[in-house]
Amino acid sequence: MSNFLPNELIARLRDESNFDHEAFLNTHAKGDRITSIRLNPRKKAALTMPLNAPVPWCRDAFYLDERPIFTLDPLYHAGCYYVQEASSMFLGHILRSLGLEGASVRALDLCAAPGGKSTLLNAYLGTGSLVVSNEVIKSRVGILQDNINRWGMHNVLVSNNDPSAFSRLPGYFDLMVVDAPCSGSGMFRKDSGAIDEWSLANVKLCSDRQKRILAESIATLATGGYLVYSTCSYSSEENEDILDWIISEYGFSTVALDVAEAWKIQPTLSPVHAAHGYRFYPHQVQGEGFFVGVLKKTQEQETFGRKRAKPEKSPIKKDALRTWLVGDERLYAFMHRDDVHIFPKQYEDDLRWIQQVLYIRTAGTNIGKWLGKELVPSHELALSIFVNAEINAQELTLAVAQQFLRKENLDREVFENAGSGWCLVRHQGVNLGWVKILSNRINNYYPKESRIVHL
Ligand code: SAM
């Protein structure tokens, strides 16, 4: 079989003990496509596609036998599941191993778009956590925001900052996930285009960039906090060497994880500090190439003065939102321009501290526009887990739900028994968005920019 993968990469992998390079090449030549999804634990629905075996290292995650056209599935748009590469779901096992499942922590996902790790963090951590989901590339923040909106949670803050901005929040986060931009060799099977772009020079460039990202942001992690560092690269310069470098420069210790042998994940030790790393090879695991290591900050980290402010009085009377939201005392509603947002009450002060130093795209869920006396509900509210279940709602068949998602005109007769005014539309009992029922027509409020086209 011809060697179609970069020779320099294969030569390096060959040097690794027990590396079955024939099997590695065969897997790439075969080019199987593996599809996996992770269910949203807070939006339970009966999926129409058959789920195959569970992904062993992640809760609520399954392989699919076939890849459906997700765009045509209303439950995908409703945020009932996230389509995610299986190896990267190992973050679930890490959170469980660190005792963080259900915990209330401040978590940062530094390189977050399109949102796979952020939605996983959100599903595993408790609702008393705050997840700051950051993406530096402006054009990628939109897709991140859409995926967070679909997930339906109020305790996520989406930001658009260079990693260096986080040094202005020293010692703030308990958990920091750095899923770093990398040379991408782990994705060769999925994306053969990446093969041509690979070079040793690019590996070096990526390694330097990874160091810069970490050097400029690492101060934001509190003493005793965990750093989860991952890439989809096979190159040690981007993996084990980075773990060694962090330990040498910033005072961290390695964290070993219990990994079942049956999972066929390759444990590694970094050359200088014997830091534990975990390698995922596509000829061994049912997933793509991936590397991850967990470190704990042992160095004393300075932090900032945390002034607690007097809670601001909201211009919106509590009762005004009662028709729209389930009455939850843990929510705090605030205005940004005309928009009303809901956010965890316990992080009201945190929001002020963060606001002073970061560019925030959205804090919590934007539930709609406040017109002085009433709310014009947003699409995000329809997808929120806090939307009031008593609101007028209409279940749609698959065909009509797809019409709604294409933002087409809907037949007035479908809504014959649904009253008038704002109405949630649902499929399989899960909210998809809003329509307004008028006497002679239905106004479809599905966001124009999200509508499905060409299908
Ligand atoms: N964590 C994401 C997920 O699970 O969906 C995938 C992240 S992807 C591997 C790496 C991300 O880093 C990309 O979103 C990319 O835009 C971002 N990125 C690129 N250059 C960066 C830089 N210089 N600093 C920080 N992030 C960067």
Side-chain angles (χ1 to χ4, degrees):
M1 188 186 63
S2 72
N3 182 357
F4 56 96
L5 296 176
N7 283 328
E8 285 152 317
L9 179 80
I10 299 301
R12 297 276 206 94
L13 288 172
R14 229 193 255 267
D15 290 344
E16 279 182 31
S17 59
N18 303 327
F19 187 76
D20 184 348
H21 101 281
E22 276 302 321
F24 180 78
L25 290 176
N26 282 335
T27 303
H28 283 81
K30 227 167 128 209
D32 285 347
R33 273 195 98 181
I34 295 174
T35 305
S36 45
I37 63 169
R38 188 168 39 74
L39 309 182
N40 186 338
R42 298 179 183 103
K43 289 195 180 184
K44 298 229 154 89
L47 302 189
T48 42
M49 61 193 131
L51 302 176
N52 199 334
V55 176
W57 43 79
C58 187
R59 203 183 66 197
D60 301 326
F62 298 89
Y63 294 102
L64 303 183
D65 272 341
E66 281 174 27
R67 191 178 178 90
I69 304 174
F70 291 112
T71 315
L72 288 180
D73 182 7
L75 298 183
Y76 166 75
H77 299 276
C80 293
Y81 59 90
Y82 188 93
V83 184
Q84 187 175 26
E85 195 286 300
S87 302
S88 41
M89 295 183 192
F90 189 69
L91 178 59
H93 178 68
I94 294 176
L95 296 173
R96 177 168 284 179
S97 306
L98 298 177
L100 294 177
E101 206 175 3
S104 293
V105 293
R106 294 177 174 95
L108 169 63
D109 184 5
L110 187 64
C111 310
K117 306 282 183 310
S118 286
T119 53
L120 193 155
L121 280 168
N122 197 271
Y124 262 78
L125 299 174
T127 47
S129 285
L130 174 66
V131 177
V132 173
S133 187
N134 181 70
E135 171 57 44
V136 64
I137 298 179
K138 206 171 172 186
S139 59
R140 289 172 60 82
V141 183
I143 179 72
L144 172 63
Q145 183 72 64
D146 286 350
N147 284 326
I148 298 294
N149 290 343
R150 286 190 190 123
W151 210 243
M153 292 296 291
H154 66 310
N155 58 343
V156 185
L157 185 153
V158 176
S159 66
N160 173 211
N161 292 267
D162 185 78
S164 57
F166 287 88
S167 64
R168 303 196 286 256
L169 283 173
Y172 177 71
F173 290 100
D174 309 299
L175 171 68
M176 182 172 171
V177 175
V178 179
D179 190 24
C182 67
S183 60
S185 41
M187 291 294 139
F188 282 172
R189 175 169 63 168
K190 219 174 150 186
D191 172 18
S192 55
I195 300 175
D196 297 334
E197 284 163 33
W198 191 91
S199 67
L200 276 181
N202 194 36
V203 168
K204 166 85 174 81
L205 198 127
C206 289
S207 164
D208 289 346
R209 188 196 290 138
Q210 287 146 2
K211 285 183 184 166
R212 183 189 74 79
I213 289 172
L214 288 159
E216 293 182 347
S217 62
I218 204 94
T220 201
L221 189 65
T223 308
Y226 292 107
L227 168 70
V228 178
Y229 174 79
S230 60
T231 71
C232 57
S233 162
Y234 298 119
S235 299
S236 48
E237 294 90 327
E238 301 180 71
N239 298 334
E240 289 85 354
D241 295 358
I242 296 283
L243 297 183
D244 270 341
W245 175 81
I246 301 170
I247 294 173
S248 297
E249 296 289 318
Y250 299 103
F252 277 77
S253 62
T254 178
V255 177
L257 303 170
D258 272 336
V259 176
E261 231 172 88
W263 296 353
K264 300 205 170 122
I265 296 165
Q266 199 69 52
T268 65
L269 291 175
S270 66
V272 180
H273 295 290
H276 297 276
Y278 301 89
R279 283 179 170 252
F280 294 64
Y281 288 113
H283 61 288
Q284 291 175 322
V285 304
Q286 219 185 330
E288 302 310 316
F290 186 63
F291 171 85
V292 66
V294 184
L295 299 177
K296 184 173 182 165
K297 196 175 212 173
T298 46
Q299 202 174 49
E300 221 27 67
Q301 172 64 56
E302 279 183 14
T303 185
F304 57 100
R306 300 179 192 203
K307 266 211 218 137
R308 305 214 86 87
K310 225 173 121 190
E312 269 173 32
K313 232 181 153 189
S314 171
I316 314 153
K317 290 221 169 66
K318 232 180 172 178
D319 287 350
L321 297 180
R322 209 152 266 170
T323 38
W324 298 104
L325 294 171
V326 282
D328 194 311
E329 291 308 314
R330 291 165 303 172
L331 292 182
Y332 147 63
F334 69 91
M335 301 263 310
H336 179 65
R337 301 198 182 101
D338 294 339
D339 293 324
V340 184
H341 292 244
I342 53 170
F343 197 68
K345 208 177 179 58
Q346 75 187 96
Y347 293 111
E348 194 176 335
D349 280 321
D350 293 57
L351 182 55
R352 288 198 196 94
W353 306 328
I354 295 173
Q355 234 164 5
Q356 283 167 15
V357 296
L358 294 186
Y359 175 71
I360 297 178
R361 168 79 172 237
T362 310
T365 307
N366 176 346
I367 62 166
K369 284 213 179 305
W370 184 245
L371 296 185
K373 279 197 177 137
E374 57 170 335
L375 185 84
V376 176
S378 66
H379 182 61
E380 292 86 326
L381 175 61
L383 301 185
S384 165
I385 63 155
F386 287 103
V387 69
N388 192 341
E390 303 293 309
I391 292 173
N392 196 19
Q394 176 66 49
E395 175 73 22
L396 305 181
T397 61
L398 176 63
V400 180
Q402 289 172 343
Q403 261 179 290
F404 172 73
L405 296 169
R406 289 192 184 100
K407 204 172 169 59
E408 289 173 358
N409 290 332
L410 303 179
D411 198 339
R412 179 72 183 77
E413 276 172 25
V414 172
F415 296 85
E416 213 167 31
N417 303 316
S420 63
W422 288 111
C423 175
L424 282 167
V425 289
R426 292 185 176 145
H427 181 64
Q428 310 262 46
V430 188
N431 296 332
L432 302 177
W434 298 101
V435 296
K436 206 166 193 182
I437 306 176
L438 306 177
S439 59
N440 57 346
R441 65 169 199 276
I442 302 297
N443 284 348
N444 182 342
Y445 277 82
Y446 196 67
K448 201 167 143 205
E449 59 285 2
S450 308
R451 75 189 193 283
I452 55 178
V453 282
H454 308 313
L455 280 170

